[in-house]
Amino acid sequence: KAEEIAGLVSGITGVAGVKAEATRGLPQITVHYDRNKMGRYNLKIKELNTIVESAFSGGVAGSIYEGERMFDLVVRLDEEHRTSIDDIRNLFVNLPDGNQIPLKEVADISYQPGPMQISRDNTNRRTYVGINVEGRDVKSLVEEIQATLDEKLELPTGYYIRYGGAFENLERASKRLSLVVPLALALIFMLVFFAVKSFKQTLMIYVAVPFAAVGGIFSLYLRDMPFSISAGVGFIVLFGVAVLNGLVLISGFNELKAEGKFHLDEIIKKGSIRRIRPILLTASTDILGFLPMAVSMSAGAEVQRPLATVVIGGMLTSTLLTLIVLPILYQFVESGAKKIKLPKPAMGILTFLLLAVGLGFSGNAKAQDSSITLTQSIERAIENYPTIKAAQLEVEKQKALKATSYELGTTSIYTGKEEVGNGAPGIQNKIGIGQSDIDIFGIPTKNNLADSRTQQAISGQYLTEYALARDVGIAWYNAAHAKQQWQLFKELDTLYADFQKAAELRYKTQATSKIEFLSASAKYKELQVNLKKAESTYLATLQILNQYLMFPNPVEVNVQNLGQNVFVAVSKTDSLNQSPLLDYYSTGIEVAEKTWKAEKANFLPKLDLGYKLQSVDGNSGFYGWEAGISVPLAFFSQSGKTKASKIDFQIANQQFEQMELELKAGYNQQLSRYLTLQQVIDYYQKEALPLANEQIQASNLAYRLGSIDYVQFIQNTEAAIRTKQDFLTQQAEYFELSAQLKYLTGK
């Protein structure tokens, strides 16, 4: 279905590239049993499966006890006999008559293609289709894609499509703007009313808002720009400045009116003349100030241009309103109408209500963001963390530097005379133009070098994102581990509080001695200290996590369904083919190779061209031209640079091999520990933790009934608590390894 979607959307205007996630093609060793041969040898499939599993995965042969801890004793073939498919084919199985035959005699063992990866999102299996957008806004493109897929694509029951990436960010920001823009307009209206203290004049000034909006929309239409989030921010800026100009003019009218010396027509004329300069200066300052942003082509221009375009277009129409329409409205409103004033108590109530609404909104926003999952943490960090933005800027920088591939030399313009002695007119070069050192032959190699550096910057951006995801994941898991420890101590607090009450009751009824009561009290106080330490540790881990999230205040981590927040599961069949670190070093090899070729291209000649207009003995109409090549006679300097770049290429290859060796060694070591922890955690979840909970409940009940004394209660309870704490420690290491392995494998 993903490939079908890619085929349907690839022809839509604005789609620059489509890529469906690869999910198939990973070779797997498959064993197909021949039931006829098995029948002749009197073998059973279950027995053969057990032999294969025990030989390669391990079979439980017994148990080992270490104090109160129990471990499975697992046996399997040594590593030398678990390396290839032939080891499975030549695996001997026992026959009922005591003889042995290799497994290949009763089974067909071969490599078969299987699933390459299974991705999940919120416990649901998912795959993705990546689309690059070019020359079109994201929203209209997604709407056309939705219409196309609704018409031509049929999905099975339970399948659904979700649109993410830039479109998801646009939708989220649009919802936020739908709240911010009305709130900004309301605040502007309130401030204008407090300034003029007239409801009619406030409405009159507020007419600048639609006039400014018309100019902003029309300017976007002229430049063929879609409405974007930066354009929305530009409208907010525009509304404030447009209303300010109207307020300046109306305030001038009101000052002249307060003097009581002039008629209404004279007030409008004198006030307009007095205020025209500040209004025009304000408008021209904004227009000229935003003009460089409107025509910018540098990095980040796609964000700057819509904002500046809206402000410039809106200021033109709003200035027209301020200078022409607003005096007419003032004449109409003030000719026979009275101002509508609100009493001071009413103004205070209005201010209080607006502040209450603002505080309520901020409180709701804070309540909604009170906890955060691992996926949300990674998305937040990748969206806002400075290193990611720096990596993105590095990509833009390398793209901009591609223009330096075209070395067209330097231009010289000159004039002069020749043969002018003894009063002779001679030859006069009226004007000459020369272009020297045109490196036309080096353009292809420099272009390739610029492309490889851009690709290296993109690879570095991916590496930065994976490294940040790993660091955020580890910080999040540390916070989750600290929170679980804190929650465990809070559970113990309730348990030991009941234990202390029971000990106090037994002491008062003279069922036990005072020593038991004092011991129970000491244990409870010790727990209180540990509870505060656990809380302090949790808050410290939240501070570390928040350095990546950059929230105003640290948020809680959501540890519900913690197992579902683990990174993509890693198995023995994973490799380092998709490692972002190796990919980055691989692009380094390509950059070094292209640099070497670019240096060799410097041996090629450069062109020189020239043209001049002349007059000979006072007669015009003559011209001259020249063309040549520039070749250095001595290549010592360039030869040294070329040899050095060749050595850099060799160094890059060696660095790649060294990094590959180190990564493989670290990966194998961590993978072995990771797979071991999988089994350990499975044992804790299925056996150890249920037994620990049962042990705590039984000990608590037995102590209440008087079946055991306080020493036995404390011993049993602390043994169960150690089991839970050991589980949390192993789980924290397991989660940290999963984050590290995801970074190494690029999954």
Side-chain angles (χ1 to χ4, degrees), residues 33 38 42-49:
Y33 294 116
M38 292 179 60
N42 196 19
L43 293 173
K44 297 180 181 179
I45 291 179
K46 181 179 180 181
E47 296 174 351
L48 296 182
N49 285 340

Side-chain angles (χ1 to χ4, degrees), residues 51-163:
I51 293 174
V52 173
E53 180 184 4
S54 300
F56 291 89
S57 179
V60 178
S63 300
I64 298 176
Y65 291 89
E66 182 180 324
E68 296 182 357
R69 302 169 66 184
M70 181 179 70
F71 303 94
D72 288 334
L73 176 63
V74 180
V75 295
R76 63 177 178 177
L77 294 177
D78 58 7
E79 187 174 358
E80 181 180 355
H81 296 89
R82 291 185 284 108
T83 57
S84 68
I85 192 173
D86 291 332
D87 293 329
I88 300 181
R89 291 171 176 165
N90 298 326
L91 181 65
F92 283 95
V93 296
N94 295 323
L95 300 179
D97 58 4
N99 294 319
Q100 291 182 326
I101 61 171
L103 184 61
K104 63 183 178 182
E105 293 295 328
V106 293
D108 179 21
I109 305 171
S110 62
Y111 284 108
Q112 298 294 333
M116 181 176 294
Q117 63 181 2
I118 299 176
S119 302
R120 295 185 181 274
D121 187 4
N122 291 331
T123 73
N124 296 321
R125 290 176 60 175
R126 65 109 178 116
T127 186
Y128 74 85
V129 178
I131 299 174
N132 294 324
V133 184
E134 183 175 333
R136 188 173 178 181
D137 64 288
V138 176
K139 186 174 183 180
S140 65
L141 177 61
V142 172
E143 289 175 351
E144 185 173 349
I145 291 174
Q146 288 176 330
T148 302
L149 297 183
D150 291 341
E151 179 182 355
K152 300 180 180 180
L153 180 67
E154 294 184 3
L155 291 177
T157 303
Y159 282 58
Y160 63 92
I161 299 175
R162 193 186 74 182
Y163 298 87

Side-chain angles (χ1 to χ4, degrees), residues 129-390:
V129 178
I131 299 174
N132 294 324
V133 184
E134 183 175 333
R136 188 173 178 181
D137 64 288
V138 176
K139 186 174 183 180
S140 65
L141 177 61
V142 172
E143 289 175 351
E144 185 173 349
I145 291 174
Q146 288 176 330
T148 302
L149 297 183
D150 291 341
E151 179 182 355
K152 300 180 180 180
L153 180 67
E154 294 184 3
L155 291 177
T157 303
Y159 282 58
Y160 63 92
I161 299 175
R162 193 186 74 182
Y163 298 87
F167 176 74
E168 186 178 12
N169 294 334
L170 176 64
E171 290 291 305
R172 187 186 303 116
S174 298
K175 291 180 180 178
R176 189 171 298 173
L177 277 180
S178 64
L179 179 63
V180 172
V181 172
L183 183 60
L185 292 175
L187 290 174
I188 292 173
F189 186 89
M190 180 187 68
L191 293 174
V192 172
F193 179 80
F194 287 163
V196 299
K197 297 181 177 60
S198 170
F199 189 76
K200 289 184 178 181
Q201 290 186 358
T202 302
L203 291 177
M204 182 169 53
I205 296 172
Y206 218 67
V207 177
V209 171
F211 267 77
V214 168
I217 295 171
F218 188 66
S219 61
L220 288 176
Y221 173 76
L222 289 179
R223 300 197 66 185
D224 194 21
M225 290 182 177
F227 180 81
S228 61
I229 301 305
S230 60
V233 175
F235 275 109
I236 296 176
V237 175
L238 175 61
F239 295 157
V241 179
V243 169
L244 174 63
N245 285 339
L247 181 60
V248 169
L249 185 60
I250 296 300
S251 298
F253 292 162
N254 290 337
E255 289 176 2
L256 293 175
K257 185 179 179 180
E259 294 178 4
K261 299 179 181 179
F262 306 101
H263 188 264
L264 183 59
D265 292 338
E266 295 178 346
I267 290 174
I268 294 175
K269 288 181 181 180
K270 292 182 178 295
S272 299
I273 294 173
R274 180 186 299 180
R275 297 299 189 183
I276 188 171
R277 179 179 295 177
I279 291 174
L280 290 178
L281 285 176
T282 302
S284 60
T285 301
D286 292 334
I287 292 172
L288 295 176
F290 280 97
L291 187 60
M293 295 173 60
V295 298
S296 174
M297 300 295 292
S298 60
E302 64 278 359
V303 178
Q304 300 173 5
R305 284 197 300 267
L307 189 151
T309 300
V310 167
V311 174
I312 293 174
M315 285 306 302
L316 291 174
T317 55
S318 65
T319 303
L320 181 67
L321 162 77
T322 303
L323 296 178
I324 298 177
V325 179
L326 205 57
I328 297 174
L329 291 177
Y330 189 85
Q331 170 78 24
F332 176 76
V333 171
E334 296 295 328
S335 59
K338 294 183 178 180
K339 294 182 181 179
I340 301 175
K341 294 185 178 181
L342 286 179
K344 292 184 178 180
M347 294 173 60
I349 293 174
L350 178 61
T351 305
F352 174 78
L353 290 176
L354 289 172
L355 291 175
V357 170
L359 291 175
F361 170 72
S362 63
N364 290 335
K366 186 177 180 180
Q368 292 173 358
D369 297 334
S370 60
S371 64
I372 191 168
T373 63
L374 173 61
T375 303
Q376 293 171 341
S377 300
I378 295 176
E379 291 175 352
R380 165 83 181 184
I382 291 178
E383 182 179 355
N384 299 302
Y385 205 57
T387 55
I388 299 298
K389 295 181 179 179

